[in-house]
Each structure stands twice: as structure tokens, then as C-alpha cells.
Amino acid sequence: MHGSDSAPFFSSDSEAEAPEEGADRRPEEEESPSGVSSSRALLTVFILCYINLLNYMDRFTVAGVLPDIEQFFRIDDGKSGLLQTVFICSYMILAPVFGYLGDRYNRKLIMCCGITFWSLVTLASSYTPKQHFWALLFTRGLVGVGEASYSTIAPTIIADLYVKEKRTRMLSIFYFAIPVGSGLGYIVGSQVGVVAKDWHWALRVTPGLGLIAVVLLLFVVQEPKRGAVEARAELHQTSWLTDLQTLSRNLIFGIITVITGVLGVFSGVQASQQLRKKNPRADPLVCAAGLLLSAPFLYFAIVFAQGNTVATYAFIFLGETFLSMNWAIVADMLLYVVVPTRRSTAEALQIVISHLLGDAGSPFLIGLSDGLRRTDSFLWQFRSLQLSLMLCSFVSVVGGAFFLATALFIEGDRDRAENYVPTGESHLLPIVVPRSGRSTRVPVSSVLI
């Protein structure tokens, strides 16, 4: 009856009867079931957030120097769009592999190997010769291998460190890295290329930071117990004026992306937490509202892009803010409708589907806007891209509709995950029976009727 696998349930009377026993057990109760101390867990979240920021910095570093890449290799928009497409495709295809491994093997070691590989391949891509554009495509594809090994696993570690509202807050910190990293990647990439007078140096920033991340993972991060917390089981300097002139062209969009991302993630989490008190379907409803509200602002940002700069940036600000509301919430939803031993696989499946239907082909599709041009004038170069980008507003509306549909099923899915019992193990469920005036938990198999 007093085995280590049974968890006693003390009533108020029993607490009064045995205060010394409760005092003796207090240090043990304060120890986290995950096996990771609270300070180490918080440090782990910040390290994972740092690595996630590096991932998105690397993705948008290429965007910051894309005109230089096109000029260096003498390619058009269609071919340059392939750089993102090959990355997303390898990322998407390999995500299930690492999801499988992440649910079965040491997640910290998998991430260390993946980030090391990603850092080395990114560094190698900066030495691509002018006549071998295919080699740059190949190395960008290999970068997806490293990122897949991280993105499918890192959220599950956070899930094994925290639960409920605290988990949502930690995931919001983790996903702040997406807008911040995206904005920083665009800014750092463009500025390093300008300062070094060579775009290749832009691709040599994140690899060094990535190796630092590996050291932090190895010596600071500790692998938590799965589900236990849920009681389950060198640069040339330019003048200050030159810096300002260059930043005026690149900094505005980067700053908007950083600020709106932070505001969007924060407001989304806050709205969800407040609405949860009244509506258990708050998470998908907030996500739907964010996407539906972003659609008209993104549309007007594209429409006003030709003549009204202030209005364009205003609409971009509002559109990106609403668009960012769902990032942390979606991750939380995915984790609480899946049992702990299958979460890496679920993350992998989510990555496959979202990238398959989204950014796997979108850069290439936008590049195909060349086919919409009636002439080769600058005006039609602009208008063709403008027409292509209007697709984003339509996709936001469709995404909002899907979140509304999700609200119909979210409660049932969450209940099934929380009450999941593996087949053939129902006889191990604990029940409460009276014993000597206090309640205790014993296995069903121990009770003979």
C-alpha cells in the first residue's frame, strides 16, 4: 500500500494529524518531477529561445543579401526563390525523421548534432563559387537537416518542464524568437554584407553563434523526464553617416517585424489566457481572430505600397501584429492534445503540413510573378509582385476559417489526451479507498472484492 508508485491523497484532517510528516516531505515535494531544478529549467528555456532566434536569423539572412546573391550568380527572381524552397522542402521532409528520433532517444544529443551540422553547412555555403549556384542550393537544402533536428524537439522539452499557464508563458518566450530572429536576420545580413563589402560574410555570422549554442546545450541543458511534470510518467568599419543611410533602407521593415512580433505573441497569449476563464475554446478562437483581422491590413499594405509609404507601414504594422498572435498558442494547442511520448512526432507532422501548404513553395510562387508582367518596365516589375503578394490575404482568411473549425473539436481532443490510457493498462489505474481514517491511492489490482 505504501509503494513508491502510489501517490497518497491527504485530506485536511490527515494534514492536521501528521504535520511533522508533511514537514519532512516538503523538500521532496518541492523537487520538480521532471528531474530539473527550477533555475536550470528557466535557463534551459532561454537557451532554447536563443537557438530558435539563430534559426530564424539564418533563414532571413539570405533575404537581407538576396539582391547581392542574384547579382553574384546572375540569376532572376524565380531561381533566387528556390533558395528558400529547397530549404523548406528538406526541412519538411526530414522533420518526421527527427520527430521519430526525438520521441525515442536523447533529445539534447540530437539537437547538438543537428545544430553542429547546420552551423558547418551554413559556413560552407558562404564559400560557393560564382559558377556553381547549384552548390548554394544544395547547401541551403542541407541547412534544413539541422533545423529539423531542433524545431521538432525543443518545444517538447519545454513541455516536459512546465504545465498549464506557466508552459504557455514559457512557450511565448520561446516563440518571441521567431519575429525577433527574422527581423535581426534581415538587418544583420544586409548590414554585414554592406560593412564587409561582400555578401558572403553575412552567412558567416550565425555559424559561430550556433557553435556557442552547442556548448550551452552540452554543459547547461539537462534532459527532463518525459511527461513526469504532468504526473504521467573580422569587419571593416564604415562611417556613421553611411550606417544611417543604409539602415534607413533596411532597418524600418526589420524593426516593424521585431516589434509587431513581440506585440502579437504577447497580446495573443494574454487574450487567450483571459478568454480561457470564460470559454474553453479560447485558443483556436484567438488564433482565428488574429488571422482574419490580419487579412484586410495585409491587403491594404500591398494596395498602398505604390503611393503612400506611411499608410503602407501602418497597415504592415497592424497586419503583422495580428498575424503573430497565434504562434505561441498553436504550439501550446498541439502539445496539450497529444500525449507526452508522441509530441516530437506531432511537432514533426505539424511542420510537414504547415510548410507543405505554406512556405515550401511560396517563395518560388512569388518569383513566378515574372509571368504576370506585360512589359519589362519597372512599373510592371512592381505590379506583378504586388498581384502575387495579394495571395497572402486570401491564405489568412482560409487559415482563420480552419481555426474556427478547430474550435469545434478542441475540447474533446484535449480531454482524450489528458485521460489517455494505453491499451491493456486500464487495470493499473489508481482508485481511492479509505484506510485507517485517511484516503490513499492503491492500484485496482490490489483490491479484492
Side-chain angles (χ1 to χ4, degrees):
M1 293 280 185
H2 292 281
S4 60
D5 58 340
S6 60
F9 178 80
F10 294 100
S11 65
S12 58
D13 293 335
S14 64
E15 289 175 354
E17 293 174 3
E20 294 183 359
E21 181 180 353
D24 292 337
R25 293 177 56 88
R26 187 174 301 162
E28 182 179 346
E29 290 174 354
E30 288 180 353
E31 181 180 352
S32 174
S34 66
V36 181
S37 65
S38 58
S39 58
R40 179 72 67 92
L42 185 61
L43 195 56
T44 296
V45 172
F46 284 112
I47 292 174
L48 295 178
C49 183
Y50 164 70
I51 301 173
N52 202 31
L53 182 142
L54 289 183
N55 281 337
Y56 282 87
M57 278 186 64
D58 179 73
R59 296 189 192 187
F60 283 84
T61 295
V62 173
V65 294
L66 193 58
D68 297 319
I69 293 177
E70 291 179 345
Q71 183 178 2
F72 182 82
F73 291 103
R74 297 181 180 180
I75 58 176
D76 56 17
D77 289 342
K79 289 185 178 179
S80 64
L82 286 174
L83 289 171
Q84 182 74 352
T85 296
V86 296
F87 160 75
I88 292 297
C89 286
S90 66
Y91 177 54
M92 174 185 67
I93 293 171
L94 289 165
V97 176
F98 288 104
Y100 175 88
L101 296 174
D103 279 332
R104 290 158 178 82
Y105 303 101
N106 189 288
R107 292 171 288 184
K108 184 176 79 169
L109 295 181
I110 294 173
M111 289 191 297
C112 287
C113 293
I115 295 169
T116 300
F117 182 81
W118 159 74
S119 300
L120 295 176
V121 171
T122 301
L123 182 62
S125 68
S126 69
Y127 293 97
T128 305
K130 181 180 298 185
Q131 63 273 24
H132 294 111
F133 175 66
W134 63 267
L136 181 61
L137 284 176
F138 179 70
T139 53
R140 290 306 296 175
L142 292 179
V143 167
V145 178
E147 291 209 25
S149 68
Y150 175 78
S151 298
T152 59
I153 293 175
T156 69
I157 292 181
I158 297 177
D160 284 334
L161 294 173
Y162 299 99
V163 292
K164 298 182 179 180
E165 287 79 10
K166 186 172 289 189
R167 175 189 290 172
T168 303
R169 288 195 297 269
M170 295 305 170
L171 285 170
S172 68
I173 294 173
F174 178 78
Y175 284 100
F176 277 152
I178 296 180
V180 175
S182 301
L184 287 177
Y186 187 84
I187 295 171
V188 172
S190 59
Q191 294 309 301
V192 170
V194 171
V195 174
K197 298 180 181 179
D198 185 353
W199 65 268
H200 295 86
W201 283 99
L203 300 181
R204 298 169 187 169
V205 176
T206 52
L209 298 174
L211 295 178
I212 295 175
V214 173
V215 173
L216 291 173
L217 276 174
L218 286 173
F219 296 102
V220 179
V221 173
Q222 180 180 344
E223 177 87 359
K225 299 176 184 178
R226 301 176 193 267
V229 74
E230 296 167 294
R232 307 183 181 256
E234 173 163 53
L235 297 176
H236 302 285
Q237 294 293 329
T238 59
S239 67
W240 182 71
L241 181 60
T242 301
D243 290 342
L244 290 179
Q245 290 174 343
T246 306
L247 287 171
S248 65
R249 295 193 299 267
N250 300 306
L251 191 58
I252 297 177
F253 185 77
I255 290 176
I256 289 177
T257 302
V258 170
I259 295 176
T260 58
V262 171
L263 288 176
V265 172
F266 178 79
S267 60
V269 169
Q270 292 301 312
S272 175
Q273 290 182 344
Q274 294 300 318
L275 191 57
R276 280 178 188 174
K277 301 174 182 178
K278 301 178 180 179
N279 192 332
R281 302 174 179 177
D283 290 344
L285 292 178
V286 171
C287 292
L291 285 178
L292 294 175
L293 289 170
S294 71
F297 294 109
L298 295 177
Y299 175 82
F300 287 123
I302 297 169
V303 170
F304 285 91
Q306 186 174 0
N308 195 323
T309 303
V310 175
T312 300
Y313 281 128
F315 287 128
I316 289 176
F317 186 94
L318 293 171
E320 287 193 349
T321 299
F322 289 119
L323 198 62
S324 302
M325 288 179 64
N326 65 79
W327 287 342
I329 304 175
V330 166
D332 195 22
M333 290 168 56
L334 178 65
L335 292 169
Y336 66 57
V337 298
V338 178
V339 296
T341 56
R342 300 171 183 168
R343 284 174 177 161
S344 290
T345 301
E347 285 282 341
L349 183 60
Q350 188 263 354
I351 286 172
V352 171
I353 296 176
S354 63
H355 290 301
L356 180 64
L357 300 177
D359 52 0
S362 58
F364 181 66
L365 290 175
I366 298 299
L368 293 179
S369 62
D370 292 346
L372 300 174
R373 299 177 188 175
R374 296 182 182 178
T375 67
D376 289 329
S377 65
F378 176 80
L379 178 60
W380 272 104
Q381 290 179 14
F382 169 80
R383 285 184 175 175
S384 60
L385 284 172
Q386 185 181 41
L387 292 172
S388 295
L389 289 170
M390 287 182 177
L391 181 64
C392 298
S393 297
F394 172 77
V395 172
S396 292
V397 173
V398 173
F402 274 107
F403 273 119
L404 289 176
T406 301
L408 301 175
F409 308 98
I410 192 70
E411 290 183 85
D413 292 343
R414 178 168 47 197
D415 290 338
R416 280 189 291 272
E418 291 176 350
N419 300 305
Y420 172 77
V421 178
T423 304
E425 296 183 15
S426 59
H427 65 284
L428 299 177
L429 285 175
I431 62 173
V432 180
V433 296
R435 182 181 180 274
S436 301
R438 67 175 67 177
S439 297
T440 186
R441 291 185 182 273
V442 298
V444 175
S445 58
S446 301
V447 182
L448 298 178
I449 300 177

